[in-house]
Amino acid sequence: MFSDAYSPAVARVSDGMAVKGLAALAGSAGQICESDLAMRRGGACGSAGLKGVVAVTALAMMEFLSVGPAFGGTIPDFTFGGITIRPYATDQLDIGGFPSAEPAHPGTGAVGARLRNGARVTIRDQVEIGGIWDFGPAPGGPMRLFEGAISYTGLKHFRFTVGVFKPSFGLESDEAQGDTVFIERSAISTVTRDLAAGIEREAVQAETFGDRYHVAVSATAGTSGPEHDGNQRGMAFRVAGLALKRRDALVHLGFSGEWVFRPANDGPDGRSVSFSDTPEGNNGAVSHFLSTGSIPARSAGAFGLEAAVQWRRLLVQGEAYTIVVNTRSPAVVNTIHYNGWYGMAAYTLVGSPRKWKARSGAFSDPVCDRRQTVMCDGTGVLEAAARYSRTDLRAPVWSGGDQKIWTAGLNWYPFDIIRLTLQYQYGRVTGGRSPERFQSVMSMFQIKF
């Protein structure tokens, strides 16, 4: 969809209405910030720069609002001769800062965290081809292939996929990025899935799914893009389903696992693994407080349990993971163990609550219950949520810290393809390389279809 991540982009829908893409917003944010180098070193946008970014976002929102129902409807598919083309976009602009943080002071900033655009093509309900390019993060981020995969879907309840895509692993991981309750997934979900699954993964996968179950197993290699580690070899699996399914209630249970039996040979440390993450939010001006550094490894894996209960408009879910690393020389510790978990609750104030999808074995975002695409019930769809997460990466020698974060958020969907999120966090990282105590306020403007 976007020909250049750093120049104004235009996306056109069937009625001919043009709307500026988020790539242009991200480019504007980059011009306002002091410099790309400052951001990479932990600098931040100045207060005037942040106001400018907010102003750009507000102008974009006003433009969307001004086009009204003509644009607000779902982006159409295009079908001809047994071929269906479905446009795809997940474009996110994150703006926010850390009003309180010590000893580091990340400050405020803005980043086009995800600028993923492309299409999925279905041929006679037998084959699906996905081609999606990620132009973010912007400014300064490496563009890369997000999805380049082909799937055979001709057998009912089965799907076979090969290429670059996101293998099935974990409840929160299998939620589409635009469907996640918070701006970012919990840290424990991120560090585990990035071991052998995660986005942009070279893999082969077989899935089976139905009204109450989802089972997937995959053989995986490295990731595409600048940090390519194609010499890695591993596997991942997930078994999930509904133990209870009623009109107003359901109970979801699942188990996931992954194992890297040949770690990537990256850098001077030889075959190794590492675990790190930003504090469940990234405004372009914050570093990884959680970080183990490079660990010489013979093999590594992660295993986790997942559960969710939905009752009417309330959804409660959680996951717990353990990580195992079998080290190699020159390590002095034979086996390292890390662990973490999260628990969250989301309540749909206006609109229809999140739905369980057999295809992914995860939950979708809330939608309007009146088949409106613009300002559902006069307010738009509203959702309130809270989460607690803990990621403990402490261990002898390779200690990445113990992070605990409380998060509260509010999601607003004025259109079915537009979302605005406001999020507050209070967190603390003890031990490890970068101990930190912080409070953050983040916002996100998203276009997704």
Side-chain angles (χ1 to χ4, degrees), residues 30-41:
Q31 294 171 5
I32 293 169
C33 288
E34 295 177 3
S35 69
D36 291 354
L37 180 61
M39 294 187 71
R40 288 194 292 269
R41 291 179 175 175

Side-chain angles (χ1 to χ4, degrees), residues 119-380:
R120 292 190 173 114
V121 180
T122 302
I123 304 174
R124 300 190 182 279
D125 295 326
Q126 298 283 318
V127 175
E128 181 179 294
I129 302 172
I132 301 170
W133 191 260
D134 193 345
F135 294 92
M143 299 185 292
R144 68 185 70 197
L145 179 66
F146 174 73
E147 180 180 306
I150 182 169
S151 300
Y152 176 70
T153 60
L155 295 178
K156 187 176 181 180
H157 300 306
F158 286 88
R159 184 183 185 93
F160 304 94
T161 306
V162 60
V164 175
F165 61 99
K166 181 181 72 173
S168 180
F169 177 80
L171 175 57
E172 198 173 31
S173 177
D174 273 3
E175 293 173 350
Q177 178 59 44
D179 291 349
T180 56
V181 177
F182 299 93
I183 296 176
E184 297 290 346
R185 296 176 175 88
S186 63
I188 189 60
S189 295
T190 299
V191 299
T192 51
R193 76 176 192 149
D194 286 349
L195 185 59
I199 62 172
E200 302 160 1
R201 183 68 62 177
E202 299 167 354
V204 177
Q205 178 170 271
E207 298 172 86
T208 179
F209 51 89
D211 291 341
R212 299 183 61 163
Y213 68 91
H214 173 92
V215 179
V217 60
S218 58
T220 69
T223 55
S224 66
E227 296 90 14
H228 181 76
D229 56 350
N231 55 12
Q232 176 175 296
R233 296 293 181 267
M235 64 170 294
F237 71 87
R238 182 174 179 233
V239 179
L242 299 181
L244 173 69
K245 184 179 181 181
R246 296 288 186 267
R247 178 182 176 86
D248 293 329
L250 61 80
V251 175
H252 166 105
L253 298 173
F255 175 62
S256 293
E258 59 182 346
W259 192 260
V260 174
F261 47 84
R262 192 176 82 179
N265 189 3
D266 288 337
D269 297 320
R271 300 199 179 279
S272 60
V273 297
S274 63
F275 304 93
S276 65
D277 193 28
T278 57
E280 300 179 357
N282 184 10
N283 63 355
V286 63
S287 60
H288 290 197
F289 296 145
L290 276 177
S291 180
T292 61
S294 181
I295 306 172
R298 292 181 290 110
S299 60
F303 302 91
L305 296 173
E306 61 190 63
V309 176
Q310 187 175 43
W311 181 70
R312 296 183 178 177
R313 294 175 174 271
L314 177 66
L315 172 64
V316 178
Q317 77 177 47
E319 298 178 76
Y321 288 94
T322 184
I323 301 171
V324 179
V325 180
N326 294 319
T327 63
R328 60 171 178 80
S329 178
V332 295
V333 180
N334 291 329
T335 303
I336 300 172
H337 295 274
Y338 303 120
N339 63 82
W341 66 278
Y342 77 88
M344 54 140 285
Y347 188 84
T348 304
L349 301 169
V350 179
S352 180
R354 294 173 177 267
K355 303 294 184 184
W356 192 84
K357 301 185 296 185
R359 170 65 185 83
S360 61
F363 294 89
S364 65
D365 53 3
V367 297
C368 186
D369 53 7
R370 297 180 181 274
R371 296 192 177 183
Q372 293 176 288
T373 57
V374 179
M375 298 301 287
C376 181
D377 287 336
T379 62

Side-chain angles (χ1 to χ4, degrees), residues 14 64 94 108 158 165 285 303 391 414 448:
S14 58
F64 277 111
D94 297 352
T108 58
F158 286 88
F165 61 99
F303 302 91
T391 305
K448 170 183 171 288

